[in-house]
Amino acid sequence: MTRKTLTTTAGAPVSDNQNSLTAGPQGGVMMQDYQLIEKLAHQNRERIPERVVHAKGWGAHGTFTVTNDISQFSKASIFGEIGKKTDMLARFSTVAGEMGAADAERDVRGFSLKFYTDEGNWDLVGNNTPVFFIRDPYKFPDFIHTQKRHPKTNMRSGTAMWDYWSLSPESLHQVTILMSDRGLPPSPRFMNGYGSHTYSFINGDNERCWVKFHFKTVQGHKFLTNGEAADVVGQTRESYQEDLYGSIDSGDFPKWKVFVQIMPESDVGSTWYNPFDLTKVWPHGDYPLIEVGEMELNRNPENYFAEIEQAAFSPSNIVPGIGFSPDKVLQARLFSYADAHRYRLGTHYESLPVNAPKCPVHHYHKDGSMNFMGQQSGNPDAYYEPNSVNGPVEDNSQAEPALAISGAMDRYNHRDGNDDYRQVKALFDLFDDGQKSRLFSNIAAAMQGVPQEIIDRQLVHFDAVDMAYGNGVRKALGA
Ligand code: NDP
């Protein structure tokens, strides 16, 4: 087989890729060996900042297929006719661990999806849990600090975690899921995904309803105990990558059934919980799951860095028919995720092949570092707007219906009168004896070394859910 000629990045043939250019056999190296300099300079730049959260990830390409007509709720073209297929990308991740962290660690899993719809990219940046630890974005950096390394010891701190959680009862729902079997799946294939936030749907009559997204694993739920996970990590730190990549490579494509819960716009105010509170679910009894479609992952990336590490998901990427909600944490993430990618990948991260929409793009953003696509208005003379040179213009028909918002501007205490226990009790009551016993022992293990006053403060919360919860943890702690 004839082999291709090695070239410089500028395309010229390289004559020697083994020996540097030197003055005599012993050296020194000549400055004019520009290929040596190029190689070393590129090597120094092989890393980009890892994500502050969700650094360790695994992903694949796939297909979303519509199986049920939900056009009465949303006009989004992705939900078009039954059988319609849309290309998509998924990236799963742990939250706390760095890029080199072991996969089989107890943690919430990121469940990020990018749908390349014919009306733009729709990103759903969710988790494998339907709720989260916080309900006010002020607490996002604080909570994440508790999951990261202590500034002095450079180790993770159980004390910081339980100190924060015990002072933040809104975290209890998510803490209970994290410490339950669902907190440690053996691979992304065996976990559900949730949009977690409340979003909105807009239908063809420009009517809004509220929506939550659910992705239910077709592979079924599996979990690892702490002991099993320790064995896995002792064997391999890449158990998720091996399982996800391996199953797709062998033609065993993982699937998720996609459902929505729909809440009429007028129901807001009539439920005992705030439907925009990220620490609450909508009970299925009140808002049943409605089938939408199926998601299948069927193609491994050709290059992990280009297609998964450089994948940039942001909840701000919506399409006509899908909108936001007043959820305070969602509102903050609309800024913070896109901003993270500007920092991590650069101004034009949306134009990287894995992030670029598959539909035409026309905007007036100009220049900036690494602009390789020129003026994207579709017309070199149209670099401002309004213009009389036939540049792209807005489409008023895409305007969402007005949303009535009321109330005086203030800082409202999100913990005042908020029942942080009722839905945790509903979850606790779903667990059988084995699940409860593993919940207690997982919590006790995570509390090792934590000062007693912090443990006591947290036990008060468990007791408030159910005395059996608090007492189960006490027993597991050996108290
Ligand atoms: P349902 O009995 O209708 O639903 C129970 C839900 O709990 C199912 O979605 C099930 O997922 C899920 N589940 C089962 N075990 C666990 C676990 N260890 N960790 C997390 N989720 C689990 O009850 P309700 O809708 O009234 O909700 C009751 C409680 O269930 C809630 O308070 C909440 O804690 C939890 N839950 C509710 C969800 C919702 O959207 N309503 C979603 C997920 C959890 P699956 O069907 O895949 O087994």
Side-chain angles (χ1 to χ4, degrees):
M1 191 169 65
T2 339
R3 297 192 41 178
K4 295 187 178 82
T5 301
L6 180 71
T7 71
T8 66
T9 46
V14 171
S15 64
D16 188 341
N17 194 36
Q18 318 302 323
N19 306 295
S20 47
L21 186 68
T22 53
Q26 290 179 333
V29 173
M30 305 299 292
M31 194 69 189
Q32 77 178 57
D33 192 351
Y34 69 100
Q35 270 311 301
L36 175 65
I37 293 166
E38 189 75 10
K39 271 182 99 160
L40 297 177
H42 263 273
Q43 183 184 28
N44 283 345
R45 289 162 178 78
E46 280 180 6
R47 295 288 167 273
I48 58 174
E50 70 172 35
R51 292 161 164 90
V52 175
V53 281
H54 297 276
K56 182 79 192 276
W58 323 272
H61 300 270
T63 313
F64 170 76
T65 308
V66 178
T67 56
N68 189 33
D69 179 7
I70 58 159
S71 56
Q72 61 180 304
F73 305 119
S74 176
K75 65 179 178 185
S77 75
I78 182 175
F79 304 127
E81 66 284 357
I82 291 175
K84 178 163 181 171
K85 292 184 187 297
T86 299
D87 289 344
M88 45 86 48
L89 174 79
R91 181 180 184 271
F92 311 107
S93 51
T94 42
V95 178
E98 294 96 352
M99 273 188 85
D103 296 348
E105 291 186 349
R106 182 170 300 282
D107 201 349
V108 171
R109 265 65 182 166
F111 200 104
S112 292
L113 309 172
K114 186 183 289 296
F115 299 92
Y116 302 98
T117 90
D118 39 31
E119 290 181 324
N121 287 353
W122 171 41
D123 291 358
L124 194 65
V125 195
N127 280 326
N128 70 331
T129 60
V131 293
F132 200 59
F133 298 93
I134 60 168
R135 70 162 72 92
D136 191 297
Y138 256 76
K139 294 293 98 194
F140 194 33
D142 292 308
F143 163 67
I144 293 301
H145 286 171
T146 71
Q147 303 299 298
K148 292 288 183 177
R149 293 170 188 271
H150 186 285
K152 182 174 178 186
T153 66
N154 200 33
M155 291 186 278
R156 294 186 67 189
S157 165
T159 298
M161 292 179 210
W162 290 106
D163 188 33
Y164 177 89
W165 286 336
S166 63
L167 292 168
S168 313
E170 69 275 13
S171 63
L172 190 59
H173 201 175
Q174 179 78 321
V175 168
T176 301
I177 297 174
L178 173 65
M179 295 298 163
S180 80
D181 291 345
R182 300 251 173 126
L184 189 32
S187 144
R189 292 194 297 138
F190 305 110
M191 64 191 198
N192 287 348
Y194 302 90
S196 306
H197 296 289
T198 297
Y199 290 86
S200 51
F201 267 167
I202 316 288
N203 69 13
D205 294 327
N206 219 23
E207 297 162 332
R208 176 186 289 107
C209 61
W210 305 114
V211 59
K212 280 191 183 285
F213 296 97
H214 300 251
F215 295 72
K216 286 197 178 254
T217 171
V218 172
Q219 292 67 238
H221 291 282
K222 288 191 184 170
F223 68 94
L224 296 172
T225 62
N226 283 355
E228 289 166 341
D231 286 345
V232 170
V233 174
Q235 302 284 329
T236 173
R237 301 171 68 77
E238 318 300 335
S239 49
Y240 277 38
Q241 183 69 17
E242 288 167 9
D243 183 84
L244 184 67
Y245 185 93
S247 68
I248 295 172
D249 199 42
S250 70
D252 179 11
F253 300 146
K255 296 184 178 67
W256 285 260
K257 291 264 179 220
V258 185
F259 299 90
V260 289
Q261 285 178 293
I262 298 290
M263 180 185 285
E265 198 176 349
S266 55
D267 277 17
V268 174
S270 67
T271 52
W272 67 265
Y273 51 87
N274 170 5
F276 309 121
D277 178 345
L278 182 56
T279 68
K280 302 284 194 303
V281 297
W282 297 353
H284 293 128
D286 297 344
Y287 299 98
L289 294 180
I290 300 168
E291 183 184 324
V292 180
E294 185 175 82
M295 176 178 102
E296 176 188 86
L297 297 183
N298 46 32
R299 183 164 60 89
N300 278 318
E302 287 300 315
N303 181 285
Y304 179 88
F305 181 83
E307 294 162 58
I308 304 301
E309 185 57 18
Q310 292 200 120
F313 303 88
S314 173
S316 52
N317 283 346
I318 49 163
V319 290
I322 303 174
F324 308 127
S325 83
D327 179 333
K328 296 175 193 177
V329 182
L330 172 61
Q331 292 283 327
R333 289 179 78 213
L334 300 180
F335 157 72
S336 126
Y337 279 59
D339 188 56
H341 303 312
R342 282 179 212 112
Y343 165 68
R344 199 171 66 82
L345 299 166
T347 316
H348 296 295
Y349 70 93
E350 295 277 31
S351 298
L352 289 168
V354 73
N355 300 323
K358 309 289 185 224
C359 63
V361 171
H362 300 298
H363 59 71
Y364 290 92
H365 299 308
K366 197 168 174 287
D367 303 349
S369 73
M370 297 289 285
N371 184 332
F372 51 87
M373 57 281 175
Q375 189 69 32
Q376 289 211 291
S377 67
N379 172 354
D381 291 329
Y383 55 96
Y384 56 90
E385 204 279 338
N387 60 58
S388 57
V389 291
N390 207 24
V393 290
E394 71 243 23
D395 174 1
N396 296 138
S397 72
Q398 300 295 352
E400 288 190 6
L403 177 64
I405 306 241
S406 64
M409 182 171 80
D410 205 347
R411 296 183 183 274
Y412 295 92
N413 185 340
H414 65 85
R415 295 187 180 116
D416 259 2
N418 211 322
D419 186 341
D420 289 315
Y421 306 108
R422 186 161 155 183
Q423 293 199 343
V424 190
K425 166 78 171 148
L427 178 64
F428 186 71
D429 287 345
L430 287 174
F431 295 162
D432 62 23
D433 289 348
Q435 288 173 304
K436 283 181 183 161
S437 147
R438 289 188 293 275
L439 172 72
F440 304 149
S441 59
N442 291 338
I443 290 173
M447 283 180 160
Q448 290 310 304
V450 173
Q452 192 59 43
E453 72 204 55
I454 294 178
I455 293 178
D456 288 343
R457 200 161 60 209
Q458 184 67 37
L459 284 166
V460 172
H461 296 309
F462 296 145
D463 289 341
V465 173
D466 191 319
M467 286 307 291
Y469 192 170
N471 288 335
V473 175
R474 277 185 194 87
K475 196 160 165 229
L477 284 165

